[in-house]
Amino acid sequence: QVQLVESGGGLVQAGGSLRLSCAASGRTFNSYAMGWFRQAPGKEREFVGTIIWSGGTTIYASSVKGRFTMSRDMAKNTAYLEMNSLKAEDTAVYYCAAISSEVASFWFVRPQVYDYWGQGTQVTVSS
């Protein structure tokens, strides 16, 4: 079993920045990819981006491309989501998730593809 723990959420003014972390632990961590999703109140869970663990290839949702950057530290089994130029509409609970086995990239946007999920961290952007 793999455990994912997010941290780094908080309250920030519009235009500000935050960096989220997602630390993986448990059985030998060997996931294919790590994804980030977010969910605002009353809305469906929304794809933010995915980073392929080996190689670091990233795929972003159009709503965050150019503002958010994903990275990972393989030695620490930790993924990061750097969020810049934050907007009020970025307010949500942010989740990280892991895919165990290789899948085609067009599946990354589907939450059902991910095998493990973190508990989420709240990001609130005040306008």
Side-chain angles (χ1 to χ4, degrees):
Q1 190 75 4
V2 173
Q3 291 82 42
L4 302 176
V5 179
E6 301 100 334
S7 61
L11 174 64
V12 63
Q13 288 188 333
S17 300
L18 280 175
R19 189 176 82 154
L20 305 184
S21 299
C22 175
S25 63
R27 294 177 62 182
T28 303
F29 183 69
N30 192 26
S31 290
Y32 171 67
M34 295 284 284
W36 291 92
F37 287 76
R38 64 187 183 185
Q39 189 165 19
K43 295 188 176 182
E44 293 187 352
R45 193 162 293 191
E46 176 190 15
F47 172 75
V48 174
T50 294
I51 182 167
I52 297 176
W53 203 250
S54 176
T57 299
T58 53
I59 297 172
Y60 296 94
S62 57
S63 59
V64 305
K65 197 169 186 178
R67 300 188 299 122
F68 290 11
T69 303
M70 293 178 293
S71 61
R72 84 274 189 253
D73 185 329
M74 298 178 75
K76 295 182 178 179
N77 286 340
T78 300
Y80 302 99
L81 180 66
E82 181 79 30
M83 305 183 294
N84 299 313
S85 303
L86 283 163
K87 307 174 183 179
E89 51 263 43
D90 294 318
T91 295
V93 177
Y94 283 70
Y95 299 90
C96 65
I99 300 174
S100 299
S101 303
E102 184 173 354
V103 299
S105 60
F106 60 77
W107 289 111
F108 288 164
V109 300
R110 302 286 297 274
Q112 299 91 323
V113 171
Y114 295 79
D115 301 298
Y116 304 101
W117 289 83
Q119 82 289 350
T121 186
Q122 177 70 46
V123 171
T124 303
V125 184
S126 62
S127 57

